Amino acid sequence: MKQEEEISICIQLINWMQDYTLSNEVVISCIDTQDFLAKALILDQQRKGKMLGKSLQQLVRQALEALEQADPTLEVHNQRYPYSFLDVVYHLLQVCENENVSTQSLQGYIEAATDEILQSRLVNFTIEKLVLEDNIETSLALIPKIKDKAYHYRSYRLLAHYYASRGDKANFLQVLKKCDARKDIDDLEEIKTIFIETSATQHPLEEVMALVQNKPFGPAYYVAAFLPLVKKESFNAIQTLLNALAFEAPNLYVQEIILANAFRYNKANQTHENFAYLQQLLDAIPARVRWAPSDFSLKDNLWSFIADALLANQQLDFTAELLYCSKKISAKIIKDSLKRQLKTYRKEEENE
């Protein structure tokens, strides 16, 4: 027997258990007729490496127990509630991953799945693999097969990420419209950030800045437009650029974030003079200003990033600056973490 049979057993088990037109007795008969328990025993023994979660035997037994012990006074879907649908799906996808199942074979499994949610999960999983193969045409053809809306949008997000990482403007904007902008806000912001950053490595800054000013972006993405530059240009060069462009985004503090990034991402910019400049700049940010990607204030995040950069680069003559960062961070969880790191830092500094 091969692990392909394990995948088929999972699919059949889900198809039967999720088909509420089939009586419990019929499903038990199908499982017994196909000799799933005996096959599961052999397949579990043949498997190379460990499986996370439950074995195939456990999954089959769980289904049988749910069917055999079902309360006939309940609706069929409630009778089968003890059977863990998600455990079987997880096992199925893990086997596909472990066995490196081809995208062609995966498409065959999609056709074999009659349960809508299982089919949606398999399509989404297959598209993840197809994107890695640059097979976008097949991915686009598969998406209409997804009946579950959540996975429908998720698949388009995979394609949006693909085009974003290549700076493909036309296709990116087209696919982005097919994502759920109401529910996938954080994911889409990250994807749009990737697109703008990638574009900034391919086009002049002025061109990317002009792009940011239009929908579906906005001034907040100025930060992403500067990311490639802050990783290689001097602190003074970034300041000069910011002054020359003179863009307006007063409530977003993008200039403060960009300069903090210039210090954070470029070790050459980590000087006492640049830190002193950032002190004046960041201290002026009101404490109430939040930073959207986190639950903490913008100031807490920026001081934390700066401290982490100094520690990561083993800047052993920045004790005063690191203590200043700790003093300025309000969130206890961030402050405590930094204090623990500072203890190690001081020991290293003493040993120098």
Side-chain angles (χ1 to χ4, degrees):
M1 283 187 238
K2 298 180 179 179
Q3 296 310 129
E4 285 83 349
E5 186 169 8
E6 183 165 10
I7 296 170
S8 295
I9 288 174
C10 289
I11 292 174
Q12 285 182 288
L13 191 62
I14 292 170
N15 285 344
W16 294 333
M17 292 295 287
Q18 295 294 105
D19 186 350
Y20 301 136
T21 65
L22 299 177
S23 69
N24 292 342
E25 292 73 22
V26 168
V27 178
I28 291 171
S29 176
C30 289
I31 292 172
D32 289 343
T33 301
Q34 295 289 329
D35 208 12
F36 274 8
L37 270 177
K39 290 177 180 177
L41 171 63
I42 296 171
L43 288 164
D44 284 337
Q45 292 173 340
Q46 287 182 339
R47 188 181 303 110
K48 295 178 181 179
K50 294 181 179 180
M51 285 288 292
L52 298 175
K54 297 174 182 175
S55 68
L56 186 59
Q57 282 184 87
Q58 289 174 310
L59 295 173
V60 175
R61 288 187 187 281
Q62 187 179 45
L64 286 170
E65 287 171 5
L67 296 166
E68 292 165 353
Q69 299 171 15
D71 182 349
T73 63
L74 299 175
E75 295 290 334
V76 175
H77 69 278
N78 287 327
Q79 291 178 29
R80 297 180 188 177
Y81 182 75
Y83 144 78
S84 181
F85 166 78
L86 291 178
D87 281 349
V88 184
V89 174
Y90 177 77
H91 187 96
L92 163 62
L93 296 181
Q94 191 183 13
V95 173
C96 289
E97 188 70 49
N98 292 351
E99 295 298 315
N100 197 24
V101 175
S102 70
T103 51
Q104 185 175 358
S105 295
L106 284 170
Q107 291 177 69
Y109 294 135
I110 292 169
E111 297 301 324
T114 57
D115 177 72
E116 288 187 3
I117 297 178
L118 171 60
Q119 192 176 70
S120 297
R121 292 288 293 267
L122 280 170
V123 171
N124 195 243
F125 181 83
T126 304
I127 289 173
E128 288 179 5
K129 306 300 177 186
L130 288 167
V131 166
L132 293 175
E133 297 173 0
D134 295 322
N135 191 340
I136 305 305
E137 185 178 349
T138 304
S139 298
L140 288 168
L142 282 175
I143 291 178
K145 293 178 180 287
I146 302 177
K147 297 180 175 64
D148 185 277
K149 281 292 184 184
Y151 286 98
H152 189 93
Y153 291 127
R154 183 176 175 182
S155 293
Y156 276 120
R157 289 204 305 276
L158 289 171
L159 298 185
H161 187 282
Y162 174 87
Y163 289 127
S165 63
R166 285 156 178 76
D168 186 336
K169 179 182 174 182
N171 283 313
F172 173 74
L173 294 177
Q174 184 178 7
V175 170
L176 190 67
K177 293 176 183 177
K178 299 181 180 180
C179 299
D180 191 348
R182 296 166 299 175
K183 295 183 179 179
D184 305 324
I185 296 173
D186 291 341
D187 286 340
L188 293 181
E189 283 184 355
E190 181 181 354
I191 292 169
K192 286 190 281 186
T193 295
I194 292 169
F195 171 73
I196 293 298
E197 183 178 1
T198 304
S199 297
T201 66
Q202 300 171 343
H203 305 283
L205 179 62
E206 292 79 5
E207 186 177 326
V208 180
M209 295 289 279
L211 176 63
V212 166
Q213 292 170 20
N214 299 308
K215 291 183 178 181
F217 304 105
Y221 293 93
Y222 285 139
V223 174
F226 268 83
L227 276 175
L229 288 172
V230 300
K231 294 174 183 178
K232 63 181 182 180
E233 296 292 341
S234 72
F235 199 84
N236 289 340
I238 298 299
Q239 282 181 287
T240 302
L241 268 175
L242 289 171
N243 292 333
L245 291 167
F247 54 84
E248 293 294 328
N251 298 323
L252 296 175
Y253 300 95
V254 293
Q255 296 192 48
E256 289 82 350
I257 298 171
I258 289 168
L259 286 170
N261 281 341
F263 189 95
R264 174 190 184 187
Y265 289 121
N266 190 339
K267 186 176 179 179
N269 289 332
Q270 291 168 15
T271 68
H272 298 288
E273 293 76 17
N274 290 341
F275 186 94
Y277 183 85
L278 286 173
Q279 279 182 272
Q280 299 177 24
L281 201 63
L282 303 191
D283 283 349
I285 301 175
R288 67 178 182 277
V289 177
R290 313 304 293 176
W291 195 52
S294 83
D295 296 325
F296 306 109
S297 71
L298 176 59
K299 290 174 75 168
D300 279 359
N301 278 281
L302 294 182
W303 284 124
S304 174
F305 294 155
I306 289 168
D308 287 345
L310 291 173
L311 290 167
N313 289 325
Q314 299 180 331
Q315 301 284 38
L316 296 178
D317 58 340
F318 278 77
T319 301
E321 284 81 359
L322 285 164
L323 288 172
Y324 189 88
C325 291
S326 178
K327 177 184 175 181
K328 287 297 179 178
I329 293 172
S330 301
K332 188 176 185 302
I333 187 170
I334 302 177
K335 185 187 286 286
D336 289 348
S337 174
L338 179 54
K339 284 181 177 179
R340 287 193 296 271
Q341 293 179 77
L342 277 171
K343 287 182 181 179
T344 303
Y345 172 90
R346 282 174 169 174
K347 288 179 182 178
E348 292 175 354
E349 189 178 31
E350 289 170 0
N351 293 333
E352 285 291 309

